[in-house]
Structures are given as C-alpha cells and as structure tokens.
C-alpha cells in the first residue's frame, strides 16, 4: 500500500472554492487569502509539456521543460500539466523537478486509471506547493470495445477506483472521459456523477479526436452540467483537439455553456493537428468580454515571449499568419488599412500589439555597449539568467554577434540567450568550416570538428552546401541517425539577419531536435546538426511519450 502523499497545499485562488464546497472554513491561513474562484473566472490549464510534447519531434529535456514551466508560471497559468510521470524515468524526473520548483501554479501529472500510474504521479508531485493528479479512462463505445475491451460497468468501476486512490494520495484530483466527444451522453452523465462522488473536483470533457462542432459541443456540456446531480461539486473542463480546425471555437462554445476550465497549449502544439491555442483562447476571452462575460488571470503581455520560447525549444516555428503571435498578426500591408491605423488604431486592430508582448524591437546596442545595458535590455524583455556566469556567456555571444551584424533585435537576443541556456555536454563541436559552391560544380565541404578535445578533419560532397556539410560531419562523427526535419527561419528582417536552423534526428525510435543560429546559414546548419548529435550522445532524448492521452 502506498503511503498518502498530500501534494501539499491547494492553489488558493483555484481551490478555495472547493474547500468551501467540502464544508471547510479553514481559509484564514494567508495562503488562502486570494478571492475564491467565481463563475466569471476561467481556469487556464496548460498542457504544452504533456500533450504538446506528444507532437512527433517535440520531445524536450528536463531542463527545457523546467524553462517552459517557469515561463508558464510567469504567464500566471493556473495549472501546468508537467507530464505523464509513469511514461519514462525522464518524464518522472521532469514532473518532479517542476513540482519541486513552481510555486504560483498548480503542477499536474497525467495518469491512466491504473494504480501504478496514480502512485507514480503522486510520488512525482510529493513536494509540490500545489499538486494535482489527472486520471483518465476512455468512455466512447469504440474505445471501450476495441481498446479497453471492457464493459461500461467495468469502466465505471475502474474510474471510481482510480479517483478514490488518487484522492487518498492528493487532495486535488481531475477526472477525464477520454474521447468524450464520441461518447454517449447518458453514459457520460453516469460516470461523471460517480467520479465526483469518488472525490474528483475537476471533470474534463475532452474532444480527443477533434470531432465536435461548436454548437453541438456546447449542448453536450450544457446537458452534462444540468443532468449530473452533483455537478455543483466540481469544475467542468474541456480539452479540444484541432483535427477540424475547431479546437478554439469548441472550447469557447463550451465556456458559454458553463465550462470553467480550458485545457490548451502554447502555439496550439499537440498531437496530429494540435490542441486549442492558449493565446487565442485567452485573447478571445479578453477581447470579447462583452459576449463571453468571463476572464482569466493570465498576464497577456508575457504571451509572445512564452510562444517564442516554446517554438525555439521544440523546433516548431510559428507561421507568420498565426493569430496573436505570428509575425504578421499586427502587420498592415494595405494602404487603406495603414491609413486607418495611423488615424485610429482600432479601425483595423481589435487588440493592441503591446497587450500580448509585441513592442518596438530595435535594440540600440552595439559592440561598444556594456554589460549593464545588455543586462537591462534582457530584464525589459523578461529574460532571466540563473547567474553571473550565464550572463557573461550570453554577453560574450552578444559581442560576437555585434561584430557580424549592425543592428541587434530583440529576436536576436531571444535566440542568443536560448543558445546560452541550452545545457548540452559538447562531445563534438565546430572548429572550422569551409564550403565551396559554384554553378555547374558539385558543392564540397571541409570541416574540422573538436571531438572530445581532439581535432578531426572531414570532407564530403553533396547536392548543396548544407548537404555537403552534414555529410562531412557524418564522415568524422557517424551517427547512423535519420534526418527527419531541416527547417530554416530568419530571426529578423534583412539580409544580415541571423538564420535559425532546426534539425530533427531520429535513431531507433528516439528523436532529438538540434538548434543553431548564425548570420551564415551554413554555419547555423552545422551548429544545429552538431547540437542534435550532442543531445543524442548525452541521452537528452526520449521516445514518443505515450500512445494514450486525452
């Protein structure tokens, strides 16, 4: 029998309402002084680190997850789903590290309705200031018959047992009906009532396969809340996938029907077509308060920095026309639009660029600028470095970049600092690169790598300069890995812009993302490839987290 792990205290602003529902009046302690959740408050549950990581190639190291978790805490996300603790030792360590560190957000771990999963989640959350176990089981006929191979009565029994076990280990328990979007409403009402009686304080209704249509999904939520006798003892949540491009619309429709928690991810990251986008959910709620009548506690000015961090770590670039955080989200090309915005911004902008973190991005720093000016600009951008050693390293990189590039932009600093904070043991690093590419001739690369302190030279030809460079690297340091993705993005405008390259390598089912940035795109490519090789060598990789999920 596993000893009870309390997951420590509940989040005051999210959970004081639950204490009251349970008849507890002991909220005079300072930790419970914030106002309880009201019916016009929507809880933001971010699952970038769990469901977002299920995107093929989006796996993250523990250190990268911790950086994103801190950004989410700064964003004032209510609940951070840190991972699936039983999926692997790496996932367990990541959930534990986040639970041990984060103070202002609830830290959550997913678990199937299985004893071992629940126990492992509780163990990872043992030191959390505020912890939550999120347990789930499939409820649709197709899942129960073909995946679980259980009768409905057995599914209800397993759900109740799982919730009770989780509640004995952690005060805050969420229960999800996997594939609720294709489940029968009568069965949903039955299992939800039983889960609430067993101790679940949050009930999640996921549209796991992105099947729902907004008006139909809203009606499902409305019926469940009306028909479940003990619905007033839980907060109802939704978790929508984007297979039909309706994840955000379905989530907002559910809010109008009474859902008061929305599960979402930064940049809409997630399996297949992704999840509901946090930035779109939050800004729709903020911008259309007149219609939705609810609010969140998100500090919207931190949205853009969180988006860039997730994009850089996962290697999933944000498309230029992406709402809120895309490069063109506040750009105006049409002369009519430009004229209108100049006369009155609200003629063509329904929100200000500054409200989500966009601002004048030109940095008046150069190679003669000092460390204090550099530090001040990082602070303005909300970038925190652990200590003086990291600041010195970032400043040295800044000086190198200033010698190559006349104007330094905020995006340059984001990439520069991200590169500095990437904790990778460099078994192999670039010492020298020479590439020849002429019309009518086969490109050739000559490279010198420092491999564990010893310089080794290699040469290779390829279909282009980048292909030749990668083959030259492999001739010196063979990996036998498959190149799954090669992506190039200009960090800023202009021909002297830094190129940011993402390289995704796969070997024996394990996937790593390497990143590199430089004003020379071939050099950036070499850096990204070597970064991926080093990650693979140091074990900073993982297989796809899990097949199951909500």
């Amino acid at each position: 029998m596993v000893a009870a792990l309390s997951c420590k205290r509940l989040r005051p602003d999210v959970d004081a309402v639950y204490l009251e529902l349970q008849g507890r009046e002991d909220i005079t302690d300072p930790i419970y002084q914030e106002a309880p959740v009201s019916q016009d408050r929507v809880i933001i549950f971010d699952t970038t680190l769990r469901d977002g990581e299920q995107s093929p190639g989006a796996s993250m190291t523990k250190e990268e997850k911790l950086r994103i978790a801190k950004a989410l805490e700064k964003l004032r996300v209510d609940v951070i789903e840190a991972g699936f603790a039983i999926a692997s030792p790496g996932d367990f360590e990541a959930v534990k590290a986040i639970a041990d560190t984060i103070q202002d957000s609830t830290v959550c771990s997913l678990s199937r309705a299985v004893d071992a999963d629940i126990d492992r989640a509780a163990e990872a959350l043992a030191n959390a200031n505020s912890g939550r176990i999120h347990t789930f089981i499939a409820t649709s006929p197709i899942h129960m018959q073909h995946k679980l191979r259980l009768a409905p009565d057995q599914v209800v029994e397993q759900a109740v047992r799982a919730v009770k076990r989780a509640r004995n280990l952690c005060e805050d328990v969420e229960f999800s009906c996997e594939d609720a979007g294709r489940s029968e409403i009568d069965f949903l009402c039955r299992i939800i009532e039983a889960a609430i009686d067993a101790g679940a304080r949050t009930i999640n209704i996921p549209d796991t396969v992105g099947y729902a249509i907004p008006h139909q999904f809203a009606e499902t939520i409305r019926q469940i809340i009306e028909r479940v006798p003990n619905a007033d003892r839980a907060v109802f949540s939704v978790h929508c996938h984007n297979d039909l491009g309706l994840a955000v619309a379905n989530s907002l429709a559910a809010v109008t029907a009474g859902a008061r928690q929305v599960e979402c991810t930064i940049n809409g990251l997630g399996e297949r077509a992704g999840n509901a986008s946090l930035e779109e959910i939050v800004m729709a709620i903020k911008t259309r308060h007149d219609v939705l009548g609810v609010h969140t506690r998100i500090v919207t000015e931190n949205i853009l920095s969180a988006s860039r961090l997730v994009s850089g770590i996962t290697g999933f670039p944000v498309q230029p026309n992406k709402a809120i955080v895309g490069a063109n989200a506040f750009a105006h090309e049409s002369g009519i639009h430009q004229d209108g915005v100049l006369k009155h911004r609200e003629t063509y902008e329904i929100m200000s660029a500054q409200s989500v973190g966009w601002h004048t991005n030109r940095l008046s720093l150069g190679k003669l600028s000092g460390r204090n000016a550099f530090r001040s600009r990082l602070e303005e951008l909300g970038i925190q470095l652990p200590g003086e050693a990291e600041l010195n390293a970032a400043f040295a990189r800044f000086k190198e970049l200033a010698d190559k590039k006349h104007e330094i932009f905020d995006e340059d600093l984001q990439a520069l600092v991200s590169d500095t904070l990437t904790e990778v043991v460099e078994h192999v690093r670039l010492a020298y690169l020479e590439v020849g590419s002429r019309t009518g001739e086969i490109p050739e690369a000559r490279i010198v790598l420092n491999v564990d302190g010893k310089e080794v030279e290699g040469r290779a030809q390829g279909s282009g300069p980048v292909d030749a460079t990668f083959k030259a690297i492999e001739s010196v340091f063979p990996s036998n890995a498959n190149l799954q993705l090669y992506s190039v993005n200009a960090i800023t405008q202009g021909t002297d812009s830094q190129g940011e390259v993402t390289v995704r390598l796969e070997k024996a089912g394990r996937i790593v993302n390497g990143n590199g940035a430089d004003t020379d795109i071939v050099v950036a490519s070499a850096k990204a490839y070597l970064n991926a090789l080093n990650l693979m060598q140091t074990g900073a990789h993982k297989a796809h987290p899990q097949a199951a999920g909500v």
Side-chain angles (χ1 to χ4, degrees):
M1 189 69 182
V2 178
L5 303 172
S6 68
C7 295
K8 290 197 173 177
R9 293 180 172 180
L10 308 175
R11 270 196 39 78
D13 54 343
V14 174
D15 291 317
V17 65
Y18 297 123
L19 298 177
E20 187 175 356
L21 288 170
Q22 293 172 20
R24 290 175 56 182
E25 304 296 336
D26 55 334
I27 56 173
T28 56
D29 188 289
I31 195 170
Y32 296 117
Q33 289 307 299
E34 291 188 50
V37 178
S38 61
Q39 277 302 303
D40 64 354
R41 161 80 181 283
V42 173
I43 297 165
I44 298 298
F45 177 115
D46 183 274
T47 184
T48 303
L49 299 176
R50 198 277 300 172
D51 201 334
E53 193 190 32
Q54 288 178 214
S55 298
S59 59
M60 313 166 207
T61 65
K62 180 180 75 173
E63 292 74 19
E64 289 169 340
K65 280 192 168 188
L66 192 55
R67 286 175 60 197
I68 291 175
K70 289 177 179 178
L72 295 174
E73 182 180 37
K74 186 176 180 182
L75 195 59
R76 295 202 79 195
V77 162
D78 298 292
V79 184
I80 300 171
E81 190 164 51
F84 196 173
I86 203 168
S88 69
D91 251 33
F92 174 84
E93 290 300 328
V95 174
K96 185 178 186 305
I98 293 168
D100 291 352
T101 303
I102 297 300
Q103 297 295 310
D104 187 50
S105 302
T106 293
V107 178
C108 175
S109 178
L110 186 69
S111 73
R112 292 166 299 185
V114 176
D115 289 354
D117 283 33
I118 294 165
D119 295 347
R120 191 67 165 157
E123 186 181 352
L125 297 170
N127 295 321
N129 187 54
S130 169
R132 174 183 294 186
I133 294 176
H134 179 191
T135 187
F136 73 94
I137 194 168
T139 55
S140 66
I142 191 170
H143 275 243
M144 289 190 289
Q145 179 182 350
H146 297 288
K147 187 181 76 171
L148 298 180
R149 297 181 179 178
L150 295 175
D153 287 350
Q154 293 174 301
V155 172
V156 173
E157 181 183 349
Q158 188 168 332
V160 168
R161 184 171 66 248
V163 170
K164 286 182 176 179
R165 187 177 188 89
R167 189 57 190 270
N168 283 334
L169 299 173
C170 187
E171 288 189 77
D172 189 354
V173 175
E174 176 172 339
F175 173 71
S176 281
C177 308
E178 186 187 8
D179 201 23
R182 294 188 295 177
S183 298
E184 296 172 347
I185 187 73
D186 290 344
F187 184 68
L188 283 177
C189 291
R190 177 188 170 194
I191 197 169
I192 288 168
E193 180 183 359
I196 294 172
D197 280 343
R201 63 179 69 239
T202 301
I203 298 295
N204 185 40
I205 313 297
D207 182 24
T208 305
V209 293
Y211 184 69
I213 301 297
H215 75 275
Q216 167 256 322
F217 194 56
E219 183 59 26
T220 296
I221 301 302
R222 186 176 292 110
Q223 283 197 39
I224 288 172
I225 293 175
E226 289 176 356
R227 291 175 55 182
V228 172
N230 51 6
D232 59 336
R233 290 164 49 193
V235 168
F236 283 82
S237 171
V238 289
H239 177 122
C240 298
H241 280 262
N242 205 40
D243 297 71
L244 294 176
L246 295 171
V248 170
N250 283 328
S251 299
L252 294 174
V255 168
T256 66
R260 285 299 177 265
Q261 175 175 286
V262 173
E263 306 193 359
C264 44
T265 62
I266 299 293
N267 299 335
L269 195 66
E271 284 200 271
R272 303 183 313 278
N275 289 270
S277 165
L278 179 146
E279 56 274 10
E280 294 174 24
I281 294 288
V282 168
M283 292 311 295
I285 288 174
K286 182 175 182 178
T287 305
R288 296 311 311 271
H289 184 270
D290 59 320
V291 173
L292 298 171
V294 293
H295 67 277
T296 73
R297 74 170 198 149
I298 297 296
V299 180
T300 62
E301 289 80 5
N302 293 331
I303 284 175
L304 184 62
S305 60
S307 168
R308 286 176 173 167
L309 177 63
V310 170
S311 177
I313 285 176
T314 62
F316 281 68
V318 175
Q319 66 200 57
N321 63 330
K322 169 75 166 66
I324 316 300
V325 293
N328 294 344
F330 294 92
H332 302 277
E333 185 71 19
S334 164
I336 295 174
H337 286 214
Q338 291 173 345
D339 180 65
V341 169
L342 288 172
K343 290 176 178 175
H344 188 70
R345 181 188 61 79
E346 293 183 7
T347 54
Y348 288 102
E349 288 186 0
I350 61 173
M351 68 196 93
S352 71
Q354 290 78 11
S355 69
V356 296
W358 291 99
H359 44 74
T360 303
N361 67 355
R362 181 163 296 180
L363 174 62
S364 299
L365 291 180
K367 61 183 179 181
L368 299 179
S369 299
R371 280 181 0 116
N372 285 339
F374 177 72
R375 188 205 303 264
S376 295
R377 188 56 184 153
L378 292 183
E379 291 175 354
E380 289 175 14
L381 292 173
I383 297 172
Q384 296 180 334
L385 295 174
E388 286 298 312
E390 289 79 10
L391 176 65
N392 291 337
F395 185 62
R397 288 178 182 267
F398 165 73
K399 287 287 191 177
E400 291 175 8
L401 181 59
D403 282 332
K404 301 177 184 177
K405 197 171 185 287
H406 179 64
E407 291 181 307
I408 306 294
F409 294 84
D410 292 348
E411 291 87 346
D412 292 314
L413 286 187
Q414 294 276 0
L416 182 151
V417 171
S418 181
D419 198 26
T420 302
L421 290 177
T422 302
E423 298 180 13
V424 181
V425 177
E426 289 191 307
H427 293 285
V428 54
R429 59 184 176 85
L430 181 65
Y432 176 82
L433 176 62
E434 177 184 333
V435 179
S437 181
R438 298 178 180 85
T439 303
E441 296 185 12
I442 299 175
E444 183 175 4
R446 172 177 171 257
I447 197 164
V448 178
L449 301 179
N450 187 305
V451 181
D452 291 326
K454 180 181 178 181
E455 288 197 349
V456 186
E457 180 178 330
R459 291 176 183 267
Q461 292 182 327
S463 59
V466 173
D467 184 46
T469 298
F470 288 178
K471 287 177 177 175
I473 292 173
E474 285 289 334
S475 73
V476 173
F477 196 81
S479 67
N480 298 315
N482 298 313
L483 178 63
Q484 289 196 331
L485 174 73
Y486 172 74
S487 173
V488 182
N489 289 282
I491 293 176
T492 58
Q493 297 177 352
T495 56
D496 67 344
S497 169
Q498 282 195 97
E500 187 173 48
V501 175
T502 298
V503 167
R504 184 173 300 151
L505 297 180
E506 181 273 333
K507 182 178 180 181
R510 294 173 173 174
I511 298 173
V512 295
N513 288 320
N515 296 288
D518 198 274
T519 52
D520 185 324
I521 199 64
V522 181
V523 173
S525 301
K527 288 180 177 179
Y529 199 91
L530 292 171
N531 180 235
L533 290 180
N534 281 312
L535 285 167
M536 193 164 278
Q537 288 293 313
T538 56
H541 51 249
K542 65 195 293 293
H544 194 284
Q546 67 272 348
V550 296

